[in-house]
Amino acid sequence: VQMLAIAPNKEAECRDTIKKICDSFAVSPTAREVMEVANSGKNVEEQYYLQPMEGSSRTGYRSSWWTQFYYVLWRSWLTVLKDPMLVKVRLLQTAMVATLIGSIYFGQRLDQDGVMNINGALFLFLTNMTFQNVFAVINVFSAELPVFLREKRSRLFRVDTYFLGKTIAEVPLFLAVPFVFTSITYPMIGLKSGAIHYLTALLIVVLVANVATSFGYLISCASSSISMALSVGPPVIIPFLI
């Protein structure tokens, strides 16, 4: 579409480009094949319309489950890669919030006040991982709903392959964010030293982050629009945090 569009203030140049493209196609093997089919009286629908692959006609889909999953995953991964600034901003935001929390609760001792402070810091672990990850994905399915419904009606892929492909493509980011957050706050607050204790805390924070992500997906799927998802999210999350 971009190649064949007429750009403002470049009409003559664009029309020359389009003419070259059309002329090149006119002498290509594909154009000759199209003309042969058109002139031979063959059924054009059988020749050119997408047909179910052999062995897949029973389900009505045009490809196998694994093929659908692979291409949805690849497309979702490209979407993530095409917006590297968003990834950098999320990691930078996580590092800044982690440094702020670590500074406020820096170097806690295991006395009565220290235990209360650590309790507050751990609750901030939960709130930060929950809200950050819920609102990172709350618009994913709402924004893509029209495209998804069109492709679903066209029998291009199943619901489960679409959902798994979308979620797995974003797993690396949802592992990196808890890792950055925990790696900064854990030593600054002065939580229990030792690799086993750190890894245990990291595992729990990763699980919390991914549960929050799944909850965000749930709200996104249940909402008909982005504004509705943003309105429903906070009131539903707060009781679970408490």
Side-chain angles (χ1 to χ4, degrees):
V1 171
Q2 188 175 0
M3 287 297 295
L4 296 175
I6 305 293
N9 303 321
K10 294 183 180 178
E11 285 84 355
E13 182 182 341
C14 290
R15 291 185 191 283
D16 288 342
T17 304
I18 293 169
K19 188 175 185 307
K20 289 176 185 176
I21 293 172
C22 293
D23 291 344
S24 299
F25 176 77
V27 298
S28 68
T30 306
R32 286 197 295 272
E33 183 186 337
V34 171
M35 290 302 296
E36 286 173 8
V37 172
N39 295 329
S40 65
K42 291 180 182 176
N43 189 331
V44 177
E45 289 189 6
E46 288 183 5
Q47 188 77 9
Y48 288 106
Y49 280 21
L50 284 170
Q51 301 294 328
M53 289 178 64
E54 188 177 346
S56 301
S57 57
R58 183 173 58 84
T59 62
Y61 291 100
R62 295 169 180 167
S63 57
S64 66
W65 191 95
W66 283 108
T67 304
Q68 295 174 37
F69 173 71
Y70 171 79
Y71 281 104
V72 173
L73 178 62
W74 179 243
R75 185 174 70 178
S76 304
W77 180 243
L78 287 179
T79 304
V80 174
L81 293 180
K82 283 179 181 176
D83 200 357
M85 184 55 68
L86 180 63
V87 177
K88 292 176 184 176
V89 167
R90 286 203 61 196
L91 292 175
L92 180 62
Q93 175 193 1
T94 303
M96 290 173 65
V97 172
T99 305
L100 179 62
I101 294 173
S103 301
I104 294 171
Y105 292 96
F106 186 79
Q108 296 298 317
R109 299 177 183 276
L110 283 178
D111 52 22
Q112 187 63 38
D113 290 338
V115 169
M116 293 295 291
N117 290 337
I118 289 172
N119 192 36
L122 293 178
F123 185 70
L124 284 176
F125 271 55
L126 289 178
T127 54
N128 186 66
M129 284 296 102
T130 301
F131 280 103
Q132 184 177 352
N133 288 288
V134 165
F135 285 100
V137 300
I138 205 166
N139 65 336
V140 168
F141 293 111
S142 303
E144 293 191 4
L145 190 61
V147 177
F148 165 72
L149 290 175
R150 187 183 68 210
E151 294 180 337
K152 177 71 173 64
R153 291 191 197 104
S154 300
R155 311 294 284 174
L156 290 176
F157 47 69
R158 297 168 173 81
V159 177
D160 55 348
T161 54
Y162 173 76
F163 183 81
L164 287 172
K166 288 288 295 180
T167 52
I168 291 174
E170 297 185 353
V171 163
L173 183 59
F174 294 126
L175 292 176
V177 167
F179 174 76
V180 170
F181 183 82
T182 309
S183 299
I184 293 173
T185 51
Y186 196 93
M188 288 185 73
I189 295 171
L191 298 175
K192 196 168 184 179
S193 59
I196 298 298
H197 303 300
Y198 163 75
L199 291 174
T200 303
L202 177 61
L203 175 63
I204 293 171
V205 173
V206 167
L207 290 175
V208 168
N210 283 275
V211 166
T213 302
S214 299
F215 198 67
Y217 284 140
L218 172 64
I219 295 170
S220 183
C221 290
S223 304
S224 57
S225 64
I226 297 174
S227 57
M228 180 181 173
L230 293 171
S231 301
V232 169
V236 176
I237 294 166
I238 295 297
F240 288 100
L241 278 176
I242 294 172

